[in-house]
Amino acid sequence: MCVPSVATAQSAGETVKQSAEQYSQSGGSSDMDSEMGMMDDEMSMEMEMGMGYDEYGSDYGDSGYGGGGSQGSTSDITDTYASSVISLVNSFELAPLFQPAAGVQVITGPLLQRESDMAFAAGYQGMAVELMCGHMVTEYEEAGLALSTVKFSPALRRPVWNVRWAVSIAVRGTEDVPDASPIRAGTTKPGRRLASSGGYDDMSGGYSGEDMSMEMGMEEMGGGYSGEDMESMSGMGGMGRRPNAKPAAPTYAERNMLSDEAESMMDSNLGLVAEVVAEEFGKRFKAGDYGPLFTGLTPPEKIDPRAPRRPPPPRQEGDAAVDAAPLPTMSAKLDAALTEAPRPPGMWRPGITYLGQGASNEMLPVAQSEGIDFLFHFDVLLKPGRNNATQNVSRCRLFNVATGKQLALTKSMDSLEAAQKISTGSFADERAYVMDQLGSLLGIMDRDTKVVPMPQGLSPESVRRRISLVIGGPKARTLQTLAEIRLYQSLNLLTLDEVEMAFHIVGGSEGLLFLHGPREERLAMARTWAVRSQPAAPGE
């Protein structure tokens, strides 16, 4: 559809104005004379009925609000009428009539690429990777940029767009201690000594007088809630809505990127250790060290209902958080695909799937079934100490899931040892202690798990050998396999006949549909393959 420009709209407005002015100069037409005669008759009737007069007498008669004065000639009335028309036209803003309304979300570009981002934001990382590969397979003409961002993983020995990570945990000794008491930032202040009994020298149990005063003050203030806050939250599950407010019915099922269960388990048992690992991984993930996909997607910021309500910060031009376009609304077709797919384990952090609790030899098979490449596994031992204190000792292992090989093992991170070394000045604070104990793990991550650019000088013969190996594997019937074939096609290392043959070997008639079928059928088939590739949920 041809959309007139703003200049066209302005030109139309000028044309209307000129016509009105010409009409004024010509003195009007016979139709105008007839209309003016009718207006004279109406005004005479109003005068007879007393309309138009001030009810308090003749004080306003000379000003035109009363009944005295001349009606004026037809020419004067015509001039007045034409002036009104010109003024009305001048008040029109015609340009918006020919432009899209501001704020309307115009969605363009490859469909499956957008759906991939939305699936990741919904917590379906495996589906998200498959949909992105589906974009390269079915929207090949539009996938040049995505294909060009491919990296190579020396550890996995294959091209990758996203290296998948997971975390699991095993906790022992929970029945012997009141709580896990992990290492927390700020627990031990430099210079404070631990008594021989295992407690603190002072009698406040680790609180200074200032800390206790502040806590008591917060209790007197109601923990930060105002009466209005409490009223609005009562009976509403703590969501902060008014009792009479009716929440809008969600269009689709609610899906969150991150798992609350994962966050609770990791934080309650590992504290600062989990926080530092998450931060260090997040830096590398966002930098693209594990592939280019999903590096810019972040979960919505959680709002603490107990925190005082503050207005949002002023928006600054160029602010990435402001300028970044939000994800489009999920389509009904993607929602149906996610509903059909098994619900995957939740993510602990963007890019890290939480597999749950169990020993490392139990978690590795789970990681393999989920398509995980590298696994963090934490072993936590809880031991009772003196004065009802808990000693929390944790270690982290890093595994290559495909081979089952352990790549790294950290030093023990001991809550009592951390307190002792900080109090003696060996470390500045808890974070410095944890970073020191994690040093070997972080070094191995940087040396052995990062992706690198694709090798140069690939030959068609080496690519054919690689394709023969991939399409003969047990998990060949996936969009990732077809995406790798498309990659070599984009590098002119496979002919069209070779691509068609490989697609047919992998997918039969469905594989050929990806190459030659109508667009809508190709997209639908890509979603079907993405769902099929997902492992069954535990217990199914």
Side-chain angles (χ1 to χ4, degrees), residues 143-209:
L145 178 60
L147 287 165
S148 67
T149 62
V150 67
K151 300 295 182 181
F152 183 80
S153 171
L156 305 176
R157 296 187 293 179
R158 59 179 169 84
V160 295
W161 284 274
N162 177 250
V163 176
R164 295 193 58 190
W165 289 73
V167 64
S168 58
I169 186 172
V171 184
R172 293 181 296 160
T174 54
E175 65 280 359
D176 300 324
V177 297
D179 57 71
S181 300
I183 300 172
R184 299 283 185 188
T187 302
T188 305
K189 296 181 180 179
R192 293 182 62 200
R193 303 282 182 170
L194 286 173
S196 58
S197 62
Y200 289 96
D201 288 338
D202 57 296
M203 301 300 294
S204 61
Y207 287 89
S208 66

Side-chain angles (χ1 to χ4, degrees), residues 100 103-108:
V104 174
Q105 190 177 43
V106 180
I107 301 176
T108 59

Side-chain angles (χ1 to χ4, degrees), residues 22-191:
Q22 292 173 0
Y23 189 88
S24 171
Q25 294 172 0
S26 66
S29 65
S30 58
D31 292 338
M32 175 64 77
D33 292 339
S34 174
E35 185 175 348
M36 296 308 300
M38 294 175 63
M39 290 178 63
D40 289 342
D41 293 341
E42 292 176 359
M43 291 178 65
S44 299
M45 293 178 63
E46 290 178 357
M47 291 172 62
E48 292 177 2
M49 296 177 65
M51 297 177 62
Y53 287 90
D54 185 82
E55 60 179 325
Y56 293 103
S58 61
D59 291 344
Y60 297 92
D62 295 336
S63 66
Y65 290 92
S70 170
Q71 294 294 326
S73 64
T74 301
S75 177
D76 293 338
I77 296 175
T78 302
D79 291 342
T80 302
Y81 184 79
S83 298
S84 300
V85 172
I86 294 173
S87 176
L88 180 62
V89 171
N90 284 333
S91 68
F92 287 162
E93 279 290 341
L94 299 179
L97 300 178
F98 300 94
Q99 291 179 314
V104 174
Q105 190 177 43
V106 180
I107 301 176
T108 59
L111 180 61
L112 292 182
Q113 184 178 29
R114 293 194 305 273
E115 291 188 354
S116 171
D117 287 344
M118 287 186 280
F120 186 86
Y124 287 71
Q125 185 178 4
M127 276 284 290
V129 173
E130 290 293 323
L131 288 171
M132 179 58 76
C133 291
H135 157 61
M136 302 175 204
V137 171
T138 65
E139 301 171 304
Y140 177 70
E141 293 76 11
E142 304 170 275
L145 178 60
L147 287 165
S148 67
T149 62
V150 67
K151 300 295 182 181
F152 183 80
S153 171
L156 305 176
R157 296 187 293 179
R158 59 179 169 84
V160 295
W161 284 274
N162 177 250
V163 176
R164 295 193 58 190
W165 289 73
V167 64
S168 58
I169 186 172
V171 184
R172 293 181 296 160
T174 54
E175 65 280 359
D176 300 324
V177 297
D179 57 71
S181 300
I183 300 172
R184 299 283 185 188
T187 302
T188 305
K189 296 181 180 179

Side-chain angles (χ1 to χ4, degrees), residues 185 267 270-280 348-349 431:
D267 178 70
L270 291 167
L272 185 62
V273 174
E275 181 181 333
V276 171
V277 170
E279 289 175 357
E280 293 298 320
W348 172 44
R349 290 290 188 275
R431 181 174 292 271

Side-chain angles (χ1 to χ4, degrees), residues 313-328:
R315 295 187 174 186
Q316 302 293 333
E317 184 177 357
D319 186 348
V322 175
D323 296 340
L327 287 175

Side-chain angles (χ1 to χ4, degrees), residues 169-170 182-183 269-271 273-274 377-382 391-397 409-415 433-434 437-438:
I169 186 172
I183 300 172
N269 289 287
L270 291 167
V273 174
H377 181 79
F378 287 92
D379 288 300
V380 182
L381 175 62
L382 306 178
Q391 183 180 10
N392 183 307
V393 184
S394 64
R395 302 182 83 174
C396 180
R397 304 181 188 189
L409 175 64
T410 67
K411 301 176 185 177
S412 296
M413 290 163 280
D414 188 326
S415 58
Y433 170 80
V434 171
Q437 306 302 95
L438 290 173

